[in-house]
């Protein structure tokens, strides 16, 4: 019989037990061993422990990531941003000091222009009393944007001081502080003609930009006569202008007005280390530069403040990354804790409750209602949690990588921008090189231009002086180049210039310098010659280079050149003088017949100096009322009545006296003033003749001489028409006199102009007839009314039978052509008698009247009777000049 087993539960024990009763025995079996209690307690504590440990791990990971990300960003991004901002500030400092130096350089250019002016030179020597009135009105300093302008003689004594206040717009008395500073400095006693002193000085009123320029002659000859001082305060307006140009915050303060912070900055600067950059705070980065005065001593501090815009962008980027990282971390904690509670901790709590319920009366189960791998499930949940953490880590790593990639992209972009900037700088340097090349070379021939040639010549002169070698300058001008342009076009002219340049280079040594000055003018500098004869040999070689024809547009063209030669230092001790004297010698070679060379001589230089002096006077002759029109009557040979006058220009210079037209008319033609002067004479003569007619005086024709330069002026015909309209004079009373040489030089164009004047009703006369290669065909076809027999033939009457024969022939010729004839320059009774016998219709000369002012001629016309007929009693009128 089998044993019967009864079960009963023993209560009120720490560990519930089950009693097993057999027939022969009773056994008490504990449901849980003693370890179960420990397991139960551990199981109850496990959820909180897991929560705490999980949260600790997540926080530790987050802190590690934040530290890592922040370190990477600070190292990679912020440091590079700081370096970029510091470089920007250094560039702004360089631009600021460069802009300040540019302002001083512009003042130096103005000072140099005034300093090499001959009027300034004579003024500081006390010889030009009208200098201030003519050249220094009250608004001069305002126009030059100056606060101070001083003229000092070579002894440092004050000649003139001018000061101006731009705020009030008024001239101010001399500032004693400026005078005191200048008298204690070397700026007013500089005696070096090639040296300027410029920079900053410290005055009680503040910093001043100052330039001291030597006063010398324009030619460079003579000693330094004194010094010209120009100054401008470096005030707040000037500083604001510089800051506006650079678009930065700029301050310039003298050393003695610095605050403690700026003094600390100043202590870190020195002439060897004149700039520094400092990060002031999170918003501003500052730069400081040391300013020195004209003596090299520290004088002020230039400071700039630049907003840290790039740094702000970087800080905002870091803030955004950290903010998004924190949000992602919090979300990750919530997700992890949620899944931990649902998937692990709740099950562990259920397992704990079931373990507690084991041993109850109703619970006959000996095990928990859980899978045997529940702990494995917990492990799996924890592993899932770790996977989530790993995903979070990967997400953070990805964010870090993305941020680093962006930093790298930004760095790459900056590198690319830097590379582009370097390329742009390289291109600009190339462009600058090209600009510099163009500035110093002729664009057509690629030869050096005047600017570069002058610099090379200055250097060569110093070498020649040191070595004692001959230095020569050859000035070349092509003969007849204008004909090439006029007949074949400017393209052919350019081709000719290129070929000429090539031949000159081929005919010269490699050490010689060849330049094109412009147009058809070339210049050559030859150095290291042992004697002057070598210069002549070289010039002859250049002439031979033009023996072969030039092929232009498949045509052989023969072109020659004229060469002028100047030697250093005989013909000039500076570059401009040498070039000018070589040019003078070149014109002498042309006058000798062209296709040859000529050396400069003292007589040439004296002639040009005199011409230049008179040219300067002539420019102001009209405005100073120094010019006057005289009138010489023209007399009918039979009736002795005045039938016309010739307008003759006279120049009364206040110091030179009466200057002959034969002297100043060629100068006027060379300078182009002949057009202005000629129109003025025409207007004066027409207006005066019209006035006489209004007064009821005899209606006379007035003859006005016209230069060939005026005839070539396209506006000449219109000018004559306008003058006639303005004065109201009838055209039939105006006679235009042109020389025979003017007709011969350009027959076709002159003929068109004369035809237009003839259609207008103006009379035409040919002056100096017989002195050129007269062409009877021209006389036949030209619209001529009157022939004037040249004075040399008239003076030959009674002396030369040939002259008398020529005069007879001209009179007979004009009568045959139905033209009027007038003899000019008649001075003796024999001349008058001869002309009367040969029926010369009109006489002009001292035998009757000299040229006289308009008022004297008016009296003559109003009160005087005609001069007596030819005979012993013939006398000149009492009003003759």
């Amino acid at each position: 019989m089998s044993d019967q087993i009864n079960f009963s539960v023993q209560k009120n024990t720490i560990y519930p037990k089950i009693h097993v009763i057999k027939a022969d025995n009773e056994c008490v079996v504990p449901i849980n061993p003693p370890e179960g209690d420990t397991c139960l307690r551990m199981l109850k504590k496990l959820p909180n422990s897991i929560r705490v440990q999980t949260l600790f791990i997540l926080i530790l990971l987050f802190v590690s990531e934040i530290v890592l990300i922040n370190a990477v960003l600070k190292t990679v991004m912020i440091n590079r941003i700081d370096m970029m901002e510091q470089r920007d500030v250094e560039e702004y400092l360089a631009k600021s000091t460069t802009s300040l130096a540019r302002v001083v350089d512009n003042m130096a250019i103005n000072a140099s222009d005034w300093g090499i002016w001959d009027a300034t030179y004579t003024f500081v020597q006390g010889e030009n009393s009208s200098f201030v009135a003519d050249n220094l009105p009250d608004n001069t300093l305002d126009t030059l944007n100056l606060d101070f302008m001083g003229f000092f003689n070579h002894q440092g004594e004050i000649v003139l001081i001018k000061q101006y206040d731009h705020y009030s717009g008024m001239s101010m008395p001399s500032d004693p502080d400026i005078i005191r500073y200048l008298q204690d400095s070397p700026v007013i006693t500089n005696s070096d003609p090639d040296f300027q002193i410029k920079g900053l000085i410290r005055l009680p009123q503040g910093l001043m930009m100052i330039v001291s320029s030597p006063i010398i002659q324009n030619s460079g000859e003579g000693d330094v006569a004194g010094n010209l001082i120009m100054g401008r305060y470096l005030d707040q307006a000037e500083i604001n202008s510089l800051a506006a140009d650079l678009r930065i915050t700029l301050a310039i303060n003298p050393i003695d007005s610095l605050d403690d912070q700026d003094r600390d900055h100043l202590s870190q600067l020195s002439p060897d280390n004149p700039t520094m950059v400092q990060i002031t705070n999170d918003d501003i980065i500052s730069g400081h530069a040391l300013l020195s005065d004209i003596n090299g001593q520290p004088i002020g501090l230039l400071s700039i403040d630049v907003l840290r815009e790039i740094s702000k962008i970087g800080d905002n980027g870091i803030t955004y990354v950290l903010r998004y990282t924190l949000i992602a971390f919090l979300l990750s904690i919530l997700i992890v804790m949620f899944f931990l509670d649902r998937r692990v901790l709740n099950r562990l709590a259920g397992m704990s409750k079931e373990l507690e319920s084991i041993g109850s009366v109703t619970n006959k189960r000996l095990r928990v209602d859980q899978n045997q791998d529940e702990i494995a499930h917990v492990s799996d949940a924890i592993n899932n949690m770790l996977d989530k953490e790993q995903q979070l880590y990967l997400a953070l790593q990805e964010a870090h990588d993305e941020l680093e990639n962006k930093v790298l992209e930004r760095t790459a972009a900056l590198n690319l921008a830097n590379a582009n900037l370097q390329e742009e700088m390289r291109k600009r340097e190339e462009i600058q090189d090209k600009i510099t090349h163009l500035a110093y070379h002729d664009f057509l021939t690629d030869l050096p231009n005047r600017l570069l040639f002058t610099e090379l010549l200055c250097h060569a002169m110093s070498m020649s002086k040191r070595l004692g070698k001959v230095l020569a300058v050859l000035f070349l001008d092509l003969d007849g180049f204008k004909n090439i342009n006029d007949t074949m076009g400017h393209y052919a002219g350019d081709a000719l210039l290129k070929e000429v340049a090539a031949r000159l280079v081929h005919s010269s040594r490699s050490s010689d310098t060849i330049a094109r000055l412009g147009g058809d003018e070339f210049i050559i500098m030859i150095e290291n010659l042992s004697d002057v004869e070598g210069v002549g040999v070289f010039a002859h070689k250049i002439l031979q280079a033009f023996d072969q024809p030039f092929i232009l547009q498949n045509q052989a063209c023969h072109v020659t050149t004229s060469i002028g030669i100047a030697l250093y230092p005989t013909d000039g001790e500076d570059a401009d003088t040498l070039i000018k004297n070589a040019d003078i010698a070149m014109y002498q070679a042309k006058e000798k017949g062209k296709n040859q060379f000529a050396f400069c001589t003292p007589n040439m230089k004296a002639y040009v100096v005199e011409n230049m002096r008179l040219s300067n006077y002539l420019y102001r002759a009209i405005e100073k009322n120094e010019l006057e029109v005289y009138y010489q009557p023209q007399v009918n040979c039979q009736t002795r009545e005045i039938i016309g006058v010739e307008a003759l220009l006279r120049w009364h210079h206040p110091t030179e006296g009466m200057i002959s037209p034969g002297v100043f008319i060629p100068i006027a033609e060379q300078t182009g003033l002949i057009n202005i002067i000629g129109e003025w004479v025409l207007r004066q003569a027409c207006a005066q003749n019209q006035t006489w007619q209004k007064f009821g005086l005899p209606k006379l024709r007035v003859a006005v001489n016209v230069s060939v330069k005026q005839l070539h002026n396209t506006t000449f015909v219109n000018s004559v028409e306008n003058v006639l309209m303005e004065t109201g004079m009838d055209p039939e009373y105006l006679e235009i006199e042109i020389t025979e040489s003017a007709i011969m030089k350009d027959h076709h164009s002159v003929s068109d102009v004369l035809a237009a004047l003839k259609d207008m009703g103006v009379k035409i006369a040919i002056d100096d007839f017989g002195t050129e290669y007269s062409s009877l065909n021209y006389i036949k076809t030209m619209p001529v009314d009157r022939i004037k027999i040249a004075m040399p033939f008239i003076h030959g009457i009674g002396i030369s039978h040939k002259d008398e024969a020529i005069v007879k022939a001209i009179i007979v010729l004009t009568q045959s052509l139905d033209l009027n004839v007038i003899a000019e320059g008649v001075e003796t009774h024999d001349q008058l008698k001869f002309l009367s016998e040969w029926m010369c219709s009109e006489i002009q000369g001292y035998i009757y009247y000299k040229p006289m002012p308009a008022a004297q001629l008016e009296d003559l016309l109003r009160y005087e009777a005609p001069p007596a007929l030819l005979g012993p009693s013939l006398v000149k009128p009492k009003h003759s000049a």
Side-chain angles (χ1 to χ4, degrees), residues 146-166:
L146 296 175
D147 295 303
F148 176 85
M149 190 173 187
F151 297 83
F152 297 81
N153 61 22
H154 68 283
Q155 296 176 343
E157 299 172 343
I158 297 174
V159 179
L160 176 67
I161 295 292
K162 292 184 75 70
Q163 280 193 240
Y164 186 81
D165 185 357
H166 292 276

Side-chain angles (χ1 to χ4, degrees), residues 152 171 195 596 630 727:
F152 297 81
S171 296
F195 182 66
Q596 55 186 295
Y630 275 40
T727 59

Side-chain angles (χ1 to χ4, degrees), residues 704-717:
V704 179
N705 292 278
V706 174
S707 166
V708 67
K709 299 286 186 180
Q710 294 176 262
L711 295 176
H712 287 161
N713 190 338
T714 56
T715 64
F716 175 69
V717 176

Side-chain angles (χ1 to χ4, degrees), residues 91-105 242:
E91 291 179 1
Y92 278 123
L93 280 176
K95 290 180 180 178
S96 300
T97 54
T98 301
S99 298
L100 186 59
R102 188 179 298 116
V103 174
V104 178
D105 288 341
L242 292 175

Side-chain angles (χ1 to χ4, degrees), residues 521-645:
E521 294 178 343
F522 295 83
I523 193 164
I524 303 175
M525 175 178 65
I526 53 177
E527 305 177 66
N528 298 324
L529 292 176
S530 57
D531 50 40
V532 178
E533 286 74 13
V535 180
V537 173
F538 180 83
H540 185 70
K541 182 180 179 182
I542 294 297
L543 293 176
Q544 288 180 332
F546 287 79
D547 289 344
Q548 296 298 321
F550 295 87
I551 306 302
L552 304 175
Q553 298 178 354
N554 297 324
Q555 298 182 30
C557 300
H558 290 272
V559 178
T560 59
T561 185
S562 300
I563 304 174
I565 304 173
L567 303 176
Y568 173 81
T570 305
D571 299 320
E573 296 184 356
D574 61 87
D576 291 339
T577 304
L578 271 179
I579 296 174
K580 178 189 69 177
N581 289 334
D583 190 10
I584 293 172
M586 182 273 297
Y587 277 106
Q588 186 67 24
K590 281 188 177 292
E591 290 180 3
K592 289 181 179 179
K594 304 179 181 180
N595 193 25
Q596 55 186 295
F597 63 87
F599 284 89
C600 183
T601 64
N603 291 336
M604 292 183 192
K605 291 184 281 188
Y607 173 78
V608 171
V609 170
E610 178 65 16
N611 271 13
M612 184 177 298
R613 187 175 65 88
L614 292 178
S615 296
N616 293 333
Y617 290 154
L618 189 58
Y619 269 99
R620 296 188 177 183
I622 295 179
E623 61 185 62
K624 291 188 175 182
N625 296 320
E626 296 175 2
L627 298 181
E628 183 180 0
V629 178
Y630 275 40
Y631 300 90
Q632 185 174 26
Q634 297 171 338
V635 179
N636 184 294
C637 194
Q638 303 301 322
T639 65
R640 304 303 192 265
E641 294 178 344
I642 298 176
I643 44 86
V645 294

Side-chain angles (χ1 to χ4, degrees), residues 73 208 215 221 226 236 280 292 315 393-394 421 445 470 581 645 686 701 733 785 813 835 840 846 868 870:
L73 293 178
M208 172 177 275
I215 299 174
E221 299 177 351
Q236 193 58 45
T280 305
S292 300
D315 289 341
Y393 176 80
L394 293 176
L421 179 61
T445 62
V470 173
N581 289 334
V645 294
C686 292
R701 69 170 185 269
Y733 295 110
D785 298 289
L813 173 66
L835 293 169
C840 178
Y846 284 9
L870 179 63

Side-chain angles (χ1 to χ4, degrees), residues 604-858:
M604 292 183 192
K605 291 184 281 188
Y607 173 78
V608 171
V609 170
E610 178 65 16
N611 271 13
M612 184 177 298
R613 187 175 65 88
L614 292 178
S615 296
N616 293 333
Y617 290 154
L618 189 58
Y619 269 99
R620 296 188 177 183
I622 295 179
E623 61 185 62
K624 291 188 175 182
N625 296 320
E626 296 175 2
L627 298 181
E628 183 180 0
V629 178
Y630 275 40
Y631 300 90
Q632 185 174 26
Q634 297 171 338
V635 179
N636 184 294
C637 194
Q638 303 301 322
T639 65
R640 304 303 192 265
E641 294 178 344
I642 298 176
I643 44 86
V645 294
E646 180 181 3
L648 300 170
L649 183 61
R650 293 293 182 265
W651 182 10
H652 299 274
H653 191 271
T655 58
E656 301 292 326
M658 185 70 74
I659 300 177
S660 170
V663 174
F664 70 83
I665 291 298
I667 295 176
E669 291 182 336
Q670 293 172 7
T671 58
L673 288 173
I674 191 63
N675 293 310
I676 299 174
I677 295 176
E679 184 175 348
W680 180 84
V681 172
L682 178 64
R683 180 172 280 102
Q684 292 291 112
C686 292
Q688 184 62 64
N689 195 20
Q690 185 66 11
T691 299
W692 287 334
Q693 293 184 18
K694 288 181 179 179
F695 288 165
L697 298 177
K699 295 184 177 181
L700 308 174
R701 69 170 185 269
V702 57
V704 179
N705 292 278
V706 174
S707 166
V708 67
K709 299 286 186 180
Q710 294 176 262
L711 295 176
H712 287 161
N713 190 338
T714 56
T715 64
F716 175 69
V717 176
N718 291 334
S719 297
V720 174
E721 186 176 8
N722 292 336
V723 168
L724 291 173
M725 291 179 61
E726 292 172 7
T727 59
M729 193 181 80
D730 194 323
E732 71 172 311
Y733 295 110
L734 174 62
E735 183 173 84
I736 296 296
E737 287 191 10
I738 60 173
T739 61
E740 187 180 14
S741 60
I743 299 176
M744 299 302 296
K745 286 180 180 179
D746 195 351
H747 169 69
H748 295 291
S749 62
V750 171
S751 179
D752 293 339
V753 173
L754 297 182
L757 294 174
K758 189 69 176 176
D759 293 340
M760 199 184 301
V762 176
K763 300 293 190 294
I764 307 298
I766 297 180
D767 196 9
D768 294 334
F769 185 79
T771 56
E772 294 289 334
Y773 300 98
S774 303
S775 172
L776 299 182
N777 184 57
Y778 287 165
I779 301 301
K780 181 183 69 175
T781 58
M782 296 285 282
V784 177
D785 298 289
R786 183 171 282 97
I787 297 294
K788 298 188 73 172
I789 305 174
M791 190 180 301
F793 300 130
I794 300 301
H795 291 173
I797 294 175
I799 300 174
S800 170
H801 295 293
K802 294 182 179 179
D803 288 337
E804 292 178 352
I806 292 174
V807 172
K808 295 176 185 178
I810 293 175
I811 294 174
V812 173
L813 173 66
T814 55
Q815 292 173 347
S816 301
L817 295 175
D818 199 20
L819 300 175
N820 294 320
V821 62
I822 182 171
E824 60 178 341
V826 181
E827 298 179 354
T828 66
H829 293 281
D830 292 339
Q831 295 168 0
L832 181 60
K833 181 179 180 180
F834 179 88
L835 293 169
S836 298
E837 291 175 352
W838 283 95
M839 301 301 293
C840 178
S841 57
E842 298 173 4
I843 299 295
Q844 176 180 342
Y846 284 9
I847 189 69
Y848 286 140
Y849 307 102
K850 292 182 178 181
M852 62 188 72
Q856 185 176 343
L857 179 59
E858 182 179 332

Side-chain angles (χ1 to χ4, degrees), residues 135-151:
N135 303 289
L136 288 172
D138 291 340
N139 63 341
T140 300
L141 269 67
D142 186 31
T143 303
L144 297 175
N145 195 14
L146 296 175
D147 295 303
F148 176 85
M149 190 173 187
F151 297 83

